[in-house]
Amino acid sequence: MRIPAQSVCTAIRDDIVSGVFARGSRLTEELLARRYGVSRVPVREALRTLESEGFVTTRRHAGACVAEPTEQEAADLLEVRTLLEPLSAARAAQRRTEAHLKVLRGLVRLGQERARRGEGEDLRSLGTWFHETLAQASGSPGLTALLTQLRHKIAWMYAVERHARPAEAWAEHAAIVDAVARGDAERARSLTALHAERALAAHRLRRPGPERERERERERGQGRVRTSQHAVNTVSGCH
């Protein structure tokens, strides 16, 4: 069975975001094909997609390498997200379905309950799920895909501290859902803009330490990566 390039793309991106492939390290087709158990053809296609997304760059005499975004590029991503998420929420207020509302309300109930109990382990994933559903409710596949790509890149470049007052964050989520349910696009937009602005303070730019820098230099010269394996999911899409 031929493994689709979308699945290989997802696997490589996940390994870049998680740090398996260090910034600046080489990504040879042979190494990647062997790692994921596929031929070079889907690897080549995946690398082209990842280059268009900004995760990979092609260097003269070195081939494909993991990108090394600047601090300004990282900061720009956060700014773009603070602009797009409110737009997505406003669209959701106009286009959401009852199914979207059911999921959003269910996530808010879960988040508020776990925040109240001090069970913070799952709150981050619940928050991600909330914002992904809100984006899908916008009814705009292009906007949803762009926000998904932004989330991947921000997770790659930033560490996010646990919210000091999770109950407040989920109260903000609940207010956004109420505005979306009422079809109040402007209120959904303003509440989401305020929520996104407050979230900025929790982001800390990831900076490689001296040991990671030395490791990266070795990887550049030898084309090696950390040894953890990543199974290719044959049904995942490349967003």
Side-chain angles (χ1 to χ4, degrees), residues 103-123:
V103 175
L104 288 168
R105 285 169 172 154
L107 289 169
V108 167
R109 282 195 299 272
L110 274 175
Q112 289 180 325
E113 179 183 334
R114 293 185 183 179
R116 190 164 52 248
R117 292 181 178 177
E119 299 173 357
E121 293 78 9
D122 297 331
L123 286 179

Side-chain angles (χ1 to χ4, degrees), residues 36 52 58 68 78 100 121 140 156 212 217:
Y36 303 114
S52 72
T58 301
E68 298 182 89
L78 288 179
H100 289 132
E121 293 78 9
S140 174
W156 175 39
R212 288 295 298 129
E217 289 301 322

Side-chain angles (χ1 to χ4, degrees), residues 81 85-86 88-90 92-93 96 99-112 114 122-139 144 147-148 151 166-181 187-189 191-196 199:
R81 191 177 70 174
E85 283 190 337
S88 176
R96 90 294 184 282
H100 289 132
L101 285 178
K102 183 177 180 180
V103 175
L104 288 168
R105 285 169 172 154
L107 289 169
V108 167
R109 282 195 299 272
L110 274 175
Q112 289 180 325
R114 293 185 183 179
D122 297 331
L123 286 179
R124 186 169 297 174
S125 59
L126 284 173
T128 298
W129 191 359
F130 174 88
H131 286 286
E132 286 176 351
T133 304
L134 188 63
Q136 291 164 7
S138 73
T144 301
L147 282 167
T148 298
R151 276 192 293 274
E168 290 184 7
W170 282 96
E172 292 172 5
H173 287 159
I176 292 168
V177 174
D178 285 344
V180 168
R187 181 163 175 76
R189 184 195 300 269
L191 287 172
T192 304
L194 182 60
H195 178 71

Side-chain angles (χ1 to χ4, degrees), residues 129-226:
W129 191 359
F130 174 88
H131 286 286
E132 286 176 351
T133 304
L134 188 63
Q136 291 164 7
S138 73
S140 174
L143 181 56
T144 301
L146 191 53
L147 282 167
T148 298
Q149 188 182 131
L150 276 171
R151 276 192 293 274
H152 286 310
K153 294 184 80 171
I154 288 169
W156 175 39
M157 298 180 196
Y158 288 91
V160 182
E161 297 175 354
R162 183 177 294 184
H163 202 290
R165 297 183 177 87
E168 290 184 7
W170 282 96
E172 292 172 5
H173 287 159
I176 292 168
V177 174
D178 285 344
V180 168
R182 291 198 306 270
D184 190 337
E186 284 311 308
R187 181 163 175 76
R189 184 195 300 269
S190 62
L191 287 172
T192 304
L194 182 60
H195 178 71
E197 190 68 30
R198 287 175 175 166
L200 293 179
H203 289 74
R204 297 288 179 266
L205 197 63
R206 297 183 189 275
R207 299 179 186 276
E211 181 56 36
R212 288 295 298 129
E213 290 287 358
R214 287 192 291 272
E215 182 181 348
R216 185 170 63 179
E217 289 301 322
R218 290 196 297 272
E219 288 167 350
R220 283 174 177 169
Q222 302 173 21
R224 294 189 307 200
V225 298
R226 279 151 52 181

